[in-house]
Amino acid sequence: DTAHPNADARRGSVGYAQAGVQVRVVDGDMRPLPAGEVGEVVISGDALMKGYWGNEKATADTVVDGWLRTGDLGSMDADGFLTLTDRSKDVIISGGTNIYPREVEETLLAHENVSEVSVIGVPSPEWGEDVVAFVVATGDGPCDAPQLDAWCKSRMASFKKPKTYHFVQDLPKNSYGKVLKTSLRERIAQELEGEHQA
């Protein structure tokens, strides 16, 4: 419905729950959150798995009172349209504030000279975590840290912008084309370890 006042937001959503499935957005204590608030997406229904084979702890952590914790973060509007925000394990907590990598990535990808980007959090003694961006430039024009810093600063809150930028030829991906953020975290950890040894 392109005439609906929330048409643009709905296009960015994953839709609404289909027949036989219930979807909620909840807080850390599994309490449903009001429309528009970001929390973890949980699902329930007859098609839900009963648990992990031979792993009671994983089952207890994942299936709570008949609801499967997906690990995805999102918000639901008043009409039931769900918009995914990020993965809970990827959220960066800096200075006690949640920063969603996807928002930073989308901001950087809007720059004409950025081809790909992945944003992670790295440990920081001062802030808890710092925002770090791995950037693949298009090669069609200038693309450096000061330029991207100014770009982000004009489009988002200053605390969300990356503290450092790593310019790379490509991003590590699995066979499905999904960026392996664990590999990027390992790379940063190795660099920090090398600095400490030096």
Side-chain angles (χ1 to χ4, degrees):
D1 181 6
T2 56
H4 193 279
N6 294 334
D8 288 342
R10 285 183 171 186
R11 272 194 292 273
S13 79
V14 294
Y16 50 85
Q18 301 301 298
V21 179
Q22 289 181 287
V23 180
R24 286 183 183 168
V25 175
V26 300
D27 64 16
D29 295 319
M30 295 292 289
R31 292 178 300 217
L33 291 171
E37 285 198 28
V38 174
E40 184 175 8
V41 179
V42 296
I43 59 173
S44 179
D46 292 337
L48 184 70
M49 71 169 191
K50 295 198 180 297
Y52 291 100
W53 179 261
N55 193 337
E56 292 182 12
K57 183 182 184 315
T59 300
D61 290 342
T62 306
V63 183
V64 180
D65 296 328
W67 291 90
L68 180 109
R69 303 183 69 166
T70 65
D72 289 318
L73 296 178
S75 62
M76 194 175 291
D77 71 11
D79 298 317
F81 282 79
L82 175 67
T83 300
L84 296 179
T85 307
D86 232 311
R87 292 286 295 164
S88 58
K89 66 181 181 181
D90 291 335
V91 172
I92 300 164
I93 303 175
S94 184
T97 304
N98 289 355
I99 300 171
Y100 301 105
R102 182 174 168 185
E103 179 187 357
V104 184
E105 290 165 353
E106 288 176 353
T107 299
L108 286 166
L109 281 170
H111 192 285
E112 62 182 356
N113 295 329
V114 172
S115 172
E116 290 184 288
V117 65
S118 186
V119 170
I120 63 170
V122 299
S124 163
E126 185 178 2
W127 298 105
E129 286 185 291
D130 285 332
V131 180
V132 173
F134 285 83
V135 179
V136 178
T138 62
D140 297 331
C143 185
D144 58 25
Q147 186 182 39
L148 294 183
D149 215 41
W151 175 268
C152 287
K153 197 170 184 179
S154 67
R155 288 164 174 79
M156 63 170 51
S158 186
F159 71 88
K160 295 180 180 180
K161 66 183 181 60
K163 184 166 185 179
T164 56
Y165 299 85
H166 293 261
F167 293 89
V168 294
Q169 292 298 315
D170 51 41
L171 296 172
K173 297 173 184 164
N174 64 16
S175 57
Y176 297 104
K178 180 177 173 62
V179 175
L180 297 171
K181 294 198 175 194
T182 51
S183 296
L184 297 178
R185 292 187 188 100
E186 288 169 5
R187 175 176 167 174
I188 290 289
Q190 289 170 359
E191 288 179 9
L192 290 173
E193 187 178 339
E195 288 175 7
H196 291 149
Q197 288 176 351

